[in-house]
C-alpha cells in the first residue's frame, strides 16, 4: 500500500493537478493534512477534485477561517482579504465538506494533525525545540504535520528529548527507523522554503518508507487567476519565489 501525502493545497488547482500527474496513480489512498483552501483562486475546484479521490483530510486554520470559525484579526491584511474572498466564493457543498473535517487522526503508527499534535489547528513546528515539546502529545511513533509549508523531519534522538532536524532529500525513499519522528511533507500550493515547486510525499505505511518529492507546476496559470480576482500582489508574487 502506498499513500500520497499532501498538505496546504491552498486552493491552487494547477499545483494539485501537477502533484497528481507526477504521482501518476501509484498510490492507493490520499492523506491530506489540511488547508485545502485559502490564498489561492480555486477553492471549490480543489475541494471537488479531492472528493473524487479515496482520501481522508484534516482541518487547517485556513479551512476554519473560511468557515468563519475563528477570529482572523491575527491574520495579516493580505491573508484577511484572501479569507473574505474565499468565504464569498465557497459553495454550500464545499462548506459542508470543510465543516466536517476532523482536527486529528490516528492510523496505525501515525498521528496526523495540521499544525501540531499539541495544538492541531494552530501551532507551527518550526524548529527542533518546538518539535521536542510536542513528542509527549502523541502516542504513536510517527506524527505527520503540515502548516509551516516547509518539508522537514524532526527526529527524537535521545530519551532526554533531544531532537534533530533532518532536511529532505528528494526522490530518495528512506526507511523510518523506529525513532519517534515528526514529518512535514511541505506545501502543495504555497511552498515557503524558497523553492517554488509543489511539495508532497509518498508513504508506504506498513513498510514505514517515506519519500519527499517536489514537482514544478505552471505557476503563471494560478497567478493569472489570482490577478483576475484581484488578490493582493504580494500573495501572487510569493508563489514564484517560494516564500
Ligand atoms: Zn497553510
Amino acid at each position: 500500500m502506498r499513500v500520497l501525502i499532501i498538505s496546504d493545497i491552498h486552493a491552487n488547482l494547477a499545483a494539485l493537478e501537477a502533484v497528481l500527474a507526477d504521482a501518476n496513480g501509484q498510490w492507493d489512498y490520499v492523506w491530506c493534512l489540511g488547508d485545502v483552501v485559502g490564498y489561492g483562486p480555486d477553492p471549490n475546484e480543489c475541494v471537488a477534485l479531492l472528493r473524487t479521490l479515496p482520501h481522508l483530510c484534516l482541518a487547517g486554520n485556513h479551512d476554519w477561517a473560511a468557515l468563519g470559525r475563528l477570529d482572523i484579526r491575527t491574520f495579516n491584511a493580505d491573508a484577511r482579504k484572501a479569507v473574505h474572498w474565499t468565504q464569498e466564493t465557497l459553495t454550500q457543498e464545499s462548506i459542508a465538506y470543510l465543516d466536517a473535517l476532523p482536527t486529528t487522526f490516528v492510523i496505525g503508527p501515525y498521528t496526523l494533525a495540521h499544525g501540531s499534535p499539541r495544538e492541531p489547528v494552530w501551532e507551527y513546528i518550526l524548529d527542533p525545540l518546538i518539535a521536542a515539546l510536542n513528542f509527549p502529545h502523541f502516542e504513536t511513533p510517527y506524527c505527520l504535520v503540515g502548516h509551516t509549508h516547509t518539508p522537514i523531519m524532526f527526529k527524537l534522538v535521545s530519551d532526554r528529548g533531544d531532537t534533530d532536524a533532518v532536511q529532505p532529500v528528494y526522490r530518495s525513499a528512506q526507511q523510518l527507523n523506529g525513532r519517534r519522528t515528526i514529518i512535514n511533507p511541505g506545501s502543495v500550493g504555497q511552498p515557503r522554503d524558497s523553492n517554488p515547486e509543489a511539495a508532497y510525499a509518498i508513504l508506504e505505511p506498513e513498510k514505514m518508507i517515506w519519500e519527499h518529492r517536489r514537482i514544478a507546476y505552471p505557476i503563471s496559470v494560478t497567478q493569472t487567476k489570482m490577478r483576475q480576482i484581484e488578490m493582493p500582489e504580494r500573495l501572487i508574487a510569493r508563489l514564484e519565489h517560494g516564500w
Side-chain angles (χ1 to χ4, degrees):
M1 159 132 168
R2 287 156 63 90
V3 179
L4 175 66
I5 311 285
I6 54 177
S7 190
D8 297 276
I9 298 165
H10 282 292
N12 188 337
L13 183 66
L16 178 58
E17 286 177 339
V19 163
L20 291 172
D22 189 57
N24 196 22
Q26 291 169 352
W27 46 267
D28 306 288
Y29 209 79
V30 178
W31 295 354
C32 175
L33 306 177
D35 277 4
V36 178
V37 304
Y39 293 127
D42 310 301
N44 294 309
E45 293 79 0
C46 287
V47 168
L49 177 51
L50 206 47
R51 290 181 68 192
T52 66
L53 310 173
H55 79 289
L56 66 82
C57 185
L58 301 179
N61 55 317
H62 282 265
D63 303 315
W64 276 18
L67 296 171
R69 274 203 201 162
L70 47 87
D71 184 350
I72 59 167
R73 280 178 296 186
T74 60
F75 284 39
N76 65 49
D78 289 345
R80 279 203 307 275
K81 186 164 183 199
V83 168
H84 288 138
W85 180 85
T86 303
Q87 288 175 338
E88 289 162 12
T89 303
L90 283 175
T91 62
Q92 283 308 316
E93 225 178 339
S94 298
I95 289 169
Y97 172 84
L98 296 172
D99 194 47
L101 300 179
T103 56
T104 57
F105 223 97
V106 178
I107 311 168
Y110 306 93
T111 297
L112 280 49
H114 176 63
S116 79
R118 182 166 70 167
E119 283 282 348
V121 176
W122 281 111
E123 187 176 32
Y124 292 90
I125 303 185
L126 289 163
D127 57 46
L129 178 63
I130 302 171
L133 294 171
N134 267 281
F135 282 108
H137 292 268
F138 64 101
E139 291 174 2
T140 56
Y142 308 110
C143 179
L144 311 186
V145 299
H147 195 38
T148 65
H149 299 204
T150 299
I152 197 160
M153 283 190 186
F154 295 105
K155 270 187 192 299
L156 190 61
V157 292
S158 81
D159 293 340
R160 293 176 313 175
D162 299 291
T163 302
D164 282 352
V166 182
Q167 298 302 323
V169 179
Y170 297 110
R171 309 231 173 222
S172 166
Q174 58 177 300
Q175 180 75 54
L176 303 175
N177 62 2
R179 286 192 188 280
R180 300 193 76 205
T181 309
I182 296 171
I183 314 174
N184 192 322
S187 167
V188 170
Q190 194 201 73
R192 292 181 192 162
D193 60 338
S194 305
N195 177 347
E197 294 184 349
Y200 73 101
I202 297 287
L203 173 68
E204 293 186 55
E206 293 102 347
K207 293 182 185 166
M208 300 181 197
I209 294 173
W210 177 274
E211 184 182 331
H212 287 288
R213 290 187 180 178
R214 297 306 278 260
I215 186 68
Y217 73 94
I219 294 171
S220 63
V221 168
T222 299
Q223 289 178 315
T224 299
K225 289 187 205 166
M226 290 174 78
R227 287 207 174 88
Q228 283 164 359
I229 58 173
E230 296 176 353
M231 278 286 173
E233 190 56 37
R234 187 178 149 275
L235 296 183
I236 297 170
R238 72 189 298 177
L239 293 179
E240 69 201 60
H241 302 294
W243 53 266

